[in-house]
Structure formats: C-alpha cells, structure tokens
Amino acid sequence: MIPPQEASARRREIEDKLKQEEETLSFIRDSLEKSDQLTKNMVSILSSFESRLMKLENSIIPVHKQTENLQRLQENVEKTLSCLDHVISYYHVASDTEKIIREGPTGRLEEYLGSMAKIQKAVEYFQDNSPDSPELNKVKLLFERGKEALESEFRSLMTRHSKVVSPVLILDLISGDDDLDAQEDVTLEHLPESVLQDVIRISRWLVEYGRNQDFMNVYYQIRSSQLDRSIKGLKEHFHKSSSSSGVPYSPAIPNKRKDTPTKKPVKRPGTIRKAQNLLKQYSQHGLDGKKGGSNLIPLEGHEHDFRVKHLSEALNDKHGPLAGRDDMLDVETDAYIHCVSAFVKLAQSEYQLLADIIPEHHQKKTFDSLIQDALDGLMLEGENIVSAARKAIVRHDFSTVLTVFPILRHLKQTKPEFDQVLQGTAASTKNKLPGLITSMETIGAKALEDFADNIKNDPDKEYNMPKDGTVHELTSNAILFLQQLLDFQETAGAMLASQETSSSATSYSSEFSKRLLSTYICKVLGNLQLNLLSKSKVYEDPALSAIFLHNNYNYILKSLEKSELIQLVAVTQKTAERSYREHIEQQIQTYQRSWLKVTDYIAEKNLPVFQPGVKLRDKERQIIKERFKGFNDGLEELCKIQKAWAIPDTEQRDRIRQAQKTIVKETYGAFLQKFGSVPFTKNPEKYIKYGVEQVGDMIDRLFDTSA
C-alpha cells in the first residue's frame, strides 16, 4: 500500500501535467481557428483572381489568334515573292549569260565558269519543274554551246602551249643523272603554270558537269604528237650534229659531253667504230670469198710490219686515224640509244603532267594511248635494226651486226625504268620491249654462230693469202670481233644463254653466261686455227707456211694476253696459253728445218775425211768445192726469198733471226776453219765468198724488205 505522502505528491504531479496539456490544447484550437480563417480568405482571393483571369483570357486569345494568322500570312507572302524572284531569275539566265557564252572563255575563265554554273542550275530547274517549257530548250542549247566552247578552249590551250622538247634539253635531261657535278636539276615545263591551272579547271568541269570524256582523247592526241616529235627531233639532231662533231653537245651545262644518256652510262668504246670499218672490209674481202683479194697482199716486210703494228695499236686508240671514220651505223646506233633513254624520261614527265589534268581512273588508259606512237616508233626502229642485222648476217657483214650489242645492252639496262613507266598500261604495251629484247638476243646469237661458222669456212683462195706470210686478215678481224665481246660480255653471254634449251638457262646466272661466252670464244679460236692450218697449205714452201702459222698464232696469243680475252678463255680452257706457245715453237722448228738444205752442205757428217799435210785427191777437192757452192747458193737463195717474208712481232723476229744466225754461224765457222786454208782450188775467192760475220749480217736482214 502506497503511503499517503507519496500518493499526494503523485496526484499533484499528474494535475500539473494535465493543466499543461489543457493549455497546449487550447493553443492548438486557437491556431486552427486562425488557420481556417486565413484559408477562407485565400480561397476567396483566388476565386476572385480566377474570375478575373478568365475574363482576361476571353478578351486576349481572339486577339492573339488574329495576330498570329496575320504574321503567317505575311511570311507566306514574303516566301512567295522570294520564290517568284528566284523563278523569274531562271527565265533571265539565257539573256544574261548569252553574251559571255558567245564571246567564249578565253582570258576570263573564272567568269565563264560562273555563267556556266548559272545555266546548269537553270537547266536543272526547268527539267524538274517545267520540262515542256521553251526556256528549257534555250538554256540547254546555251549550255551545249558553252560546253563546246570549253572543249574548244581546252584544245586551243593544249595546242598553243604544248611545245616540242628541244634536243639540247632532252640531252641535258637524260644525262642529268650521270653529271655528278652538275649544279642544277634539269626540269621540263610542258605548260606555263597559269595555262596549266586553266587546263586543270576546264578538265575538272568537263568531268563533273560536262559529262564528257572526249577531251581526254584530245589531250592524248596532242601530247602524243609532241612526245613523238620530240624523240624524232632528237634523232634528227644526231644526224645533223654527227657530220661535224661525231656526238652532239649540249650547251645547257657548259663543257659537258652528252655521251651518257642513262644512269648506267652507255659507253661506246672507240674500238666499236674501228672494228665496224675493219669488219666491213673483212666481209668484202674475207668471209664470203666473192670479192677481190686481201688488202694485205701488196704489203710486205716492214711496210706490213707497220700496218699490223698500227692495226694492233688501233684496238686501244680512241683518237687514232680510224677513230674519225664516222659511219651511218654509228650515228643510228647512238641516236637510237639516246632516243630510248629520252622516251623513258619524257614519258615519266608526261605522266606527271597527265596526273594533274586527267581524272585518276582514266589516267592509265589515257597514258597508254599517249605513248603508243612514240613507243611503236622505237619498237619499229628496233625491229628494223634486227631486220638489218638479219640481212647483214646473210651477206656476212658483221659490222652491221655489231650495232645490236650496245643497243641490246642499253635496252636491258633501261628495262627496269621502262617497266616502272609502263605500270598500269595494257599487257600488249608492256610486252613490246621484252619482245624486242628477245628478237635482238636471238639475232645476236645467230650472228655469233654464223661468225664462228664463217671463220671455220672462210675459203682457201690463193689470191687471198698474204705473200709475205704475215697475219691473215681473217685472224686480225676475228680477234677484233672477239675483243668487242669484252665490252659486251654480259650481253653476248645472255645472247648465247637465250638459245639454250636446258632448264638452267631459263634463269641463267652471270657465271653461266660467262662460261657460255668462254666456250664460244674457244670455238671461234678453234675454228680459226683449223682454217689457218688449211690456208697454210696454199704455200708451196713449207717454211713460208710455218712463218704464216707462227705469225698468226703469235698474233692471236699476244692479242689474247693484251686484252682480257685470255682470262675469259681460261674459264673453260686452262691450258690455252701454253697450247699456243707450243704451236708457235713447233712452227719455229719447222721454219728452222728450211735451213737444213744450207747447213747440210757443210755439216760435219757429210764432209770428207782427209789426212792433214796429204795432198787432196781430185775427188776430195771437188766435194769441198760442191760443199762451198751448195752453201753459198743456198744461203743466197734463202736470204733473197726470206728477206721478203714478214714477222711483224719485233721480239719474235729478233729471236728467230738470232737462233738461226747462231746455228748457221757455228756450222759455217767450223766448216770454214777446217777447209778455209785447205788448197782445194786455185781460186779460193770463188768459193769462200762470205766470212762468218757476213753470214750473220745476211741473216740479220731476213724479214726486212728495206734491207
């Protein structure tokens, strides 16, 4: 049970809380009443405002709608007026632009193209909106006239400003890569810059708006003509210049000879021209056997020695008397080589120009058409060279055939540039140069084979033999021909390899072609040796036959050693040099046997035996007389005959003289010592005509017509 004091306290606490709650409740009631009053007032205000807004809306909305309609009507009127102005302008295009179109684009291309743009838009408008309108026909006709004028202007600009490239500039262009100390690059300006820009603008307009490709035909026809004429002009320049200077000069770069038209210089060795002239004589006098005797026949002794010496020197003399003997073959060859290089350079330049003017997807086809005339001209000329070589082979004129070698070498050196220039052209265009190269390789191989056969089959005509036993024309010309192959080893090797049917030949290496060339040279030398042996039998005197073979073998050996031919021969025949030396020694021994009929008279084995101090019998005296007379007569006869023979090689001549002099002097000296003081005759001066030294002097005058 709760104590009374705690209960009283508890009650007072509860009563206090109750009183506080009642006061709070009273406050809330007052607040609610005030809020209700305020709400009623706000609702009354809003109701009044809504009423007023509705009245305002009912008054403004009709006005707004009316204003909006008026604005729309105004905009429609303005658009209509603008469209009318635009449409009306199309009807005035013909009259506004007719004068400009009639006068043409010359001198005012920008304005003209602007007028054409207006006409183009008018055409499009009438086609879309009034296809039956007479105005459409007017602007169409005006557009066609304008397009024709632009085409005409394109043709006119290309015709008036496309100039033939001068030969001097072409020579500078094709030799610019080789002149390492040239101070400036040679460039071609086919069209002035302002003209080029006009041509480009017309070209683009015709493609985009004119829907016309005829101008591309006009372009390639004009540029094709200029390219062809430029190359022909270079060829004519060679013909005109060759008569005075041999090789054209170019003054554009001072003191520069224009001998080298490609990156790999085409060197026309001096021996080519000399060999052509000599081989021409050879073809007339030697191989075919149809014309007169050798021009060696009248030359004897020192005179012939002089000829052979200088003929040999001419092999390496680029400024000698033979070097100035220009030939049309040389001019044609040099001109053709330069024209080939000129075509490559000019075609490259033409493509650069074409790339700016012709649309990309038409460039290859247009370029293909552009270069055809010039390319066909080069190929036709090349085939003519092949045809001329073929005819020359038939008549054994190997001077003409020699022109194929430098041309073929140059074509093969230039082929990579050719292939690059002709990228994208038709297959028939790309195959023209390879076809010409194949033709030249074939005819070159044919020439080589025929030359070897003709060396073997050169007729053994007595009138064609040198009377002095010197080097035969066949030998000197064969060596000259082979020496030309040194300057064209790869070319000649490729010619021979091209005729091989083995699979290895299809992708032949330089070593393979070198072996083929070595084999060929050995074949020619072998044929020459067989022919010389046959020719030597024409001589009735075996000693002269031996001198003839000695001279020819020695000439061959010295020529091989003097040039690189010996190294080339050694590729397949290691012992060739030793073999020739053995042949030379054999002929010297054969020649020396001719003196046996002289020395046999005084040889110890054929002399009578007698006792010193014992009077000679008549028979013994007669034998000694016969020995002296036989020796004297034989010596005089041989010296007279052999003095007219020739040994051009000074070293060999002295060697043979010395060897023979030693043998004869020793034999005669011994004979003279034994019988010179023997009383075998009352007139010793009749039989003892020569002293030992006199005999030596007589032998020293052998092979010397001036003695």
Side-chain angles (χ1 to χ4, degrees), residues 102-378:
R102 184 174 63 252
E103 292 176 354
T106 304
R108 51 174 180 177
L109 181 61
E110 192 69 30
E111 181 184 6
Y112 194 89
L113 291 178
S115 297
M116 289 299 294
K118 293 178 182 179
I119 297 172
Q120 174 72 14
K121 290 180 180 179
V123 171
E124 293 173 355
Y125 170 79
F126 288 119
Q127 284 178 337
D128 293 339
N129 298 283
S130 184
D132 298 328
S133 171
E135 292 297 330
L136 176 59
N137 293 332
K138 288 183 181 179
V139 291
K140 268 189 173 182
L141 180 60
L142 197 59
F143 183 81
E144 290 300 322
R145 286 172 57 189
K147 185 171 73 171
E148 290 174 1
L150 283 171
E151 293 171 357
S152 178
E153 179 70 3
F154 183 89
R155 180 188 294 273
S156 176
L157 288 173
M158 291 299 302
T159 302
R160 283 188 286 115
H161 297 282
S162 291
K163 305 296 182 183
V164 173
V165 183
S166 71
V168 169
L169 188 56
I170 294 176
L171 288 171
D172 288 336
L173 182 68
I174 61 182
S175 59
D177 293 333
D178 303 310
D179 293 331
L180 300 179
D181 53 347
Q183 297 298 315
E184 57 184 33
D185 294 331
V186 180
T187 57
L188 295 180
E189 184 183 66
H190 295 291
L191 297 172
E193 184 60 29
S194 59
V195 174
L196 176 60
Q197 294 306 317
D198 286 349
V199 169
I200 291 173
R201 292 207 62 188
I202 295 174
S203 167
R204 291 177 179 174
W205 188 93
L206 289 173
V207 171
E208 186 174 356
Y209 300 107
R211 306 291 190 270
N212 188 340
Q213 297 181 7
D214 291 342
F215 77 95
M216 300 180 196
N217 296 332
V218 171
Y219 177 86
Y220 90 71
Q221 289 168 1
I222 293 173
R223 294 308 307 170
S224 175
S225 175
Q226 301 304 323
L227 175 61
D228 192 39
R229 289 169 60 193
S230 296
I231 294 176
K232 288 179 179 176
L234 177 63
K235 183 178 179 181
E236 292 174 1
H237 180 68
F238 265 84
H239 291 164
K240 292 177 182 178
S241 302
S242 61
S243 59
S244 58
S245 61
V247 179
Y249 284 84
S250 171
I253 300 178
N255 301 322
K256 298 287 182 185
R257 278 298 294 271
K258 300 304 164 189
D259 293 333
T260 49
T262 61
K263 290 184 179 179
K264 294 181 179 179
V266 175
K267 296 181 179 179
R268 296 269 300 157
T271 51
I272 276 286
R273 183 171 285 113
K274 293 187 276 286
Q276 287 175 337
N277 288 315
L278 290 172
L279 285 171
K280 181 169 288 186
Q281 299 171 17
Y282 171 43
S283 67
Q284 293 173 347
H285 301 295
L287 288 180
D288 54 17
K290 296 179 181 178
K291 298 198 176 182
S294 168
N295 57 3
L296 297 178
I297 292 177
L299 304 177
E300 298 179 350
H302 276 312
E303 186 179 358
H304 189 275
D305 183 8
F306 177 85
R307 173 196 177 274
V308 173
K309 175 185 176 183
H310 284 269
L311 178 61
S312 178
E313 291 174 350
L315 294 174
N316 294 316
D317 181 12
K318 298 183 179 180
H319 306 288
L322 293 176
R325 296 173 59 183
D326 263 334
D327 190 289
M328 280 304 296
L329 288 174
D330 301 310
V331 178
E332 293 293 338
T333 301
D334 290 337
Y336 187 73
I337 286 174
H338 281 77
C339 285
V340 169
S341 294
F343 173 81
V344 173
K345 294 297 182 182
L346 292 177
Q348 289 172 343
S349 182
E350 286 292 343
Y351 192 83
Q352 292 172 359
L353 177 65
L354 176 144
D356 291 330
I357 298 174
I358 304 300
E360 184 176 357
H361 54 287
H362 292 287
Q363 290 174 3
K364 296 295 185 182
K365 181 179 179 181
T366 304
F367 180 70
D368 196 343
S369 301
L370 188 155
I371 62 173
Q372 283 304 314
D373 286 349
L375 182 59
D376 286 344
L378 284 177

Side-chain angles (χ1 to χ4, degrees), residues 298-571:
L299 304 177
E300 298 179 350
H302 276 312
E303 186 179 358
H304 189 275
D305 183 8
F306 177 85
R307 173 196 177 274
V308 173
K309 175 185 176 183
H310 284 269
L311 178 61
S312 178
E313 291 174 350
L315 294 174
N316 294 316
D317 181 12
K318 298 183 179 180
H319 306 288
L322 293 176
R325 296 173 59 183
D326 263 334
D327 190 289
M328 280 304 296
L329 288 174
D330 301 310
V331 178
E332 293 293 338
T333 301
D334 290 337
Y336 187 73
I337 286 174
H338 281 77
C339 285
V340 169
S341 294
F343 173 81
V344 173
K345 294 297 182 182
L346 292 177
Q348 289 172 343
S349 182
E350 286 292 343
Y351 192 83
Q352 292 172 359
L353 177 65
L354 176 144
D356 291 330
I357 298 174
I358 304 300
E360 184 176 357
H361 54 287
H362 292 287
Q363 290 174 3
K364 296 295 185 182
K365 181 179 179 181
T366 304
F367 180 70
D368 196 343
S369 301
L370 188 155
I371 62 173
Q372 283 304 314
D373 286 349
L375 182 59
D376 286 344
L378 284 177
M379 296 302 106
L380 177 60
E381 192 171 348
E383 290 297 340
N384 288 340
I385 291 171
V386 172
S387 178
R390 186 176 292 110
K391 294 176 182 178
I393 292 173
V394 173
R395 61 179 186 270
H396 309 312
D397 177 10
F398 292 95
S399 62
T400 301
V401 179
L402 279 174
T403 62
V404 173
F405 285 78
I407 291 173
L408 177 58
R409 179 175 67 180
H410 183 65
L411 289 179
K412 296 181 80 170
Q413 289 175 345
T414 313
K415 187 177 181 297
E417 287 184 277
F418 244 100
D419 293 341
Q420 185 177 5
V421 168
L422 299 182
Q423 279 183 353
T425 57
S428 58
T429 302
K430 294 178 182 177
N431 292 334
K432 287 181 179 180
L433 180 64
L436 178 60
I437 289 175
T438 299
S439 296
M440 286 196 170
E441 284 188 332
T442 301
I443 200 65
K446 171 68 174 171
L448 292 174
E449 277 308 308
D450 277 32
F451 184 82
D453 291 341
N454 281 302
I455 290 294
K456 181 178 181 180
N457 301 318
D458 184 60
D460 301 324
K461 299 291 185 180
E462 184 175 353
Y463 62 77
N464 200 37
M465 296 295 291
K467 293 180 179 179
D468 55 3
T470 189
V471 178
H472 196 279
E473 191 176 25
L474 177 70
T475 303
S476 60
N477 284 289
I479 294 299
L480 276 171
F481 187 87
L482 293 180
Q483 285 176 332
Q484 305 319 302
L485 301 186
L486 288 176
D487 296 310
F488 305 100
Q489 291 186 43
E490 292 185 8
T491 304
M495 286 177 175
L496 297 169
S498 68
Q499 303 306 302
E500 291 292 312
T501 56
S502 62
S503 58
S504 60
T506 57
S507 58
Y508 57 86
S509 63
S510 58
E511 186 62 29
F512 176 73
S513 61
K514 187 175 183 180
R515 290 189 64 83
L516 285 178
L517 183 58
S518 175
T519 301
Y520 171 77
I521 292 174
C522 292
K523 177 182 178 181
V524 171
L525 292 175
N527 289 350
L528 177 61
Q529 185 173 340
L530 290 174
N531 200 315
L532 291 172
L533 282 170
S534 176
K535 289 181 184 302
S536 68
K537 296 175 183 178
V538 171
Y539 296 111
E540 295 180 359
D541 190 335
L544 180 55
S545 176
I547 290 295
F548 171 77
L549 290 176
H550 163 272
N551 284 333
N552 283 271
Y553 291 154
N554 184 65
Y555 179 82
I556 293 171
L557 178 60
K558 290 296 179 67
S559 298
L560 293 178
E561 292 176 334
K562 187 176 181 180
S563 64
E564 297 176 10
L565 280 172
I566 193 66
Q567 289 89 347
L568 203 52
V569 168
V571 171

